[in-house]
Each structure stands twice: as C-alpha cells, then as structure tokens.
C-alpha cells in the first residue's frame, strides 16, 4: 500500500530511483516510526512523512520524520555519530530491514570536525555554548597564523516585545576569503555576499534568507545549513556534539518557525552568561556597524 512519504530530489539522488520508488510504493517503508525530530510516533499511512538521510564519510542512515517537523533532506553527519546510531539501532532490533524505523540518536560524543562548504568555511573544530550557565571555559583567541574557531551562543533576543530564538556566531580570529594570506578579517563581508544584511536596529526582525536553515532535532541544535552548489543543503556550521537548547529557546523557534542568526567579528560580543548581557553586547556591536543578520527557517523542533 502506498505511503504518505516525501522523498526529496537530494535524497533520491543519494539512494537512487529504484530505492526511492520502493519506498514510495511501500515495499521498503515502515508502517510506523519514531520521528527523528520530535521523537514521537508517526504513521506513514496516516500522516505526511519526510525521509531524512543522514550521511557520513562511509555510512548512511535513512530516518523518518513528520513532515510538519522537518522536510525531506540529506544531512551531513560525522561518521562517528552515524556509527553510534547504527550500534543503537542494532541493539534495539536484532533483525530487520536495511531501512530502519527507529530514529537514530546523534546526541553522542564525537571528535571535533569541520564541515566543508561551497563558499567559505572555518576549517577547524567548532564549539557551541548556551547563553545561560554554560559549563566549561570559552575558547581562547586564535594565535597568529592559527585558523579561527566558530563560536555559537544561543539566547532569546527581543524584537520589540517578542522574544526570538537567536544564534550569535563569532569567530575567535580573523576569517579571510579562500586563499587569502593577508590576515584581513572578511567574515562579515563573506556573510553579506551570502545574503546576510547589516543590522541597524536590534528590534527589527531581519529578512529571511532563502536556502539557509537551522537544524534542531531531539531538542538539540545540530547545524546551520546553507544551499549546496549542486542543490539541496550542506552544513555551514555543525556542532561536534549536538547542543542542548533551553525549552524557552526551542518554543520560541517553533512558534515562529525560524531562528535569527547574528554574526559579529572576533572579540566583538564574547561569551555572555545572561541574555540581558548578550543583548547589551549586541547593541554595542550594532552601534559600531559590526553585526550582520538573517532569519533562518527552522528545520526540526
């Protein structure tokens, strides 16, 4: 019996037309599944379902999600995370089809890694800390000649009287264009080339940026995705270990179906322990003309 499945073009290109057709025809799709985003049960017969293909260097895992939670897409994931997911699935199902219905759990420790991007990347480990009460020491500024590290701070930022789930991206050192050896910081220029806009008023919600999105799954921040050169999405930033966000942040993101991403040069905002201090630091950076931003659609819950 045909299922209410969506197989995006990028998923189809990865798994092949024959496998995609078998999924859509019901031969390779489960009747029920655990949503890879919200972790609640789903039924491929009764509700629109997305196919989500997690791809590592050597392994791929096909998962299923409510279409209302996350669209069908290919998500790049560290090979170590996929191996952990396969082990978890194998332990819960000693036998079964290749395409498994349990949602893979990617909230497992994995080594630092960088995600290649078509336009520009920070080819170093990344780190992520929440705005409230984050444990651990903040990263040190990059030494001369050392590649910068991208820091991500999560917090609610008021746009007028409405709290918006926000990400503040700040490198630890200058970010140049590929091949540049000048040491000049072009981080904001690169993001403006990608469509981000300078911020003149923190109370104004920036325009949505087509093709970009924020991937939140299982209540954790996984990645910031950008358009891939060959179509679909690819990771612009990806957490080396999925970052737990607060319930208030997740609820705000879900209610508005978007996340505001702010970006600042190295040393402009820093790690702020409270959201009011984060806003004050952003306001100072805005006054200096050193903030770019965009609203990114939420992928997941």
């Amino acid at each position: 019996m045909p299922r209410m499945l969506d197989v995006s073009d990028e998923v189809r290109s990865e798994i092949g037309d024959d496998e995609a057709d078998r999924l859509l025809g019901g031969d390779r799709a489960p009747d029920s599944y655990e949503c890879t985003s919200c972790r609640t049960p789903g039924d491929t017969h009764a509700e629109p379902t997305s196919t989500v293909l997690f791809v590592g260097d050597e392994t791929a895992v096909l998962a299923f999600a409510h279409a209302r939670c996350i669209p069908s897409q290919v998500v790049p994931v560290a090979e170590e995370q996929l191996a952990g997911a396969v082990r978890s699935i194998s332990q819960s199902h000693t036998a079964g089809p290749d395409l498994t219905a349990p949602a893979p759990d990617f909230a497992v420790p994995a080594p630092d890694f960088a995600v290649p991007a078509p336009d520009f990347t920070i080819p170093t480990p990344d780190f992520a800390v929440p705005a409230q009460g984050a444990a651990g020491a903040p990263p040190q500024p990059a030494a001369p000649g050392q590649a910068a590290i991208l820091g991500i701070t999560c917090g609610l930022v008021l746009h007028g009287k409405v709290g918006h789930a926000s990400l503040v991206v700040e490198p630890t050192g200058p970010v140049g264009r590929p091949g540049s050896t000048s040491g000049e910081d072009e981080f904001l220029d690169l993001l403006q080339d990608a469509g981000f806009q300078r911020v003149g008023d923190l109370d104004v919600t920036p325009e949505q940026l087509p093709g970009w999105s924020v991937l939140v799954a299982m209540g954790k921040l996984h990645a910031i995705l950008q358009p891939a050169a060959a179509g679909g999405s690819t990771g612009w930033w990806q957490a080396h270990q999925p970052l737990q966000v607060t319930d208030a942040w997740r609820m705000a993101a879900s209610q508005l179906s978007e996340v505001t991403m702010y970006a600042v040069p190295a040393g402009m905002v820093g790690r702020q322990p409270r959201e009011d201090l984060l806003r004050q630091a952003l306001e100072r950076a805005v006054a200096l003309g050193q903030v770019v931003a965009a609203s990114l659609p939420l992928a997941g819950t």
Side-chain angles (χ1 to χ4, degrees), residues 84-132:
V86 171
R87 285 194 298 271
S88 176
I89 291 170
S90 298
Q91 290 169 1
S92 61
H93 284 68
T94 56
D98 293 334
L99 302 179
T100 55
D105 184 0
F106 293 111
V108 296
D112 292 337
F113 71 101
V115 180
D119 300 323
F120 71 100
T121 51
I122 315 300
T124 55
D126 44 33
F127 92 105
V129 295
Q132 304 89 350

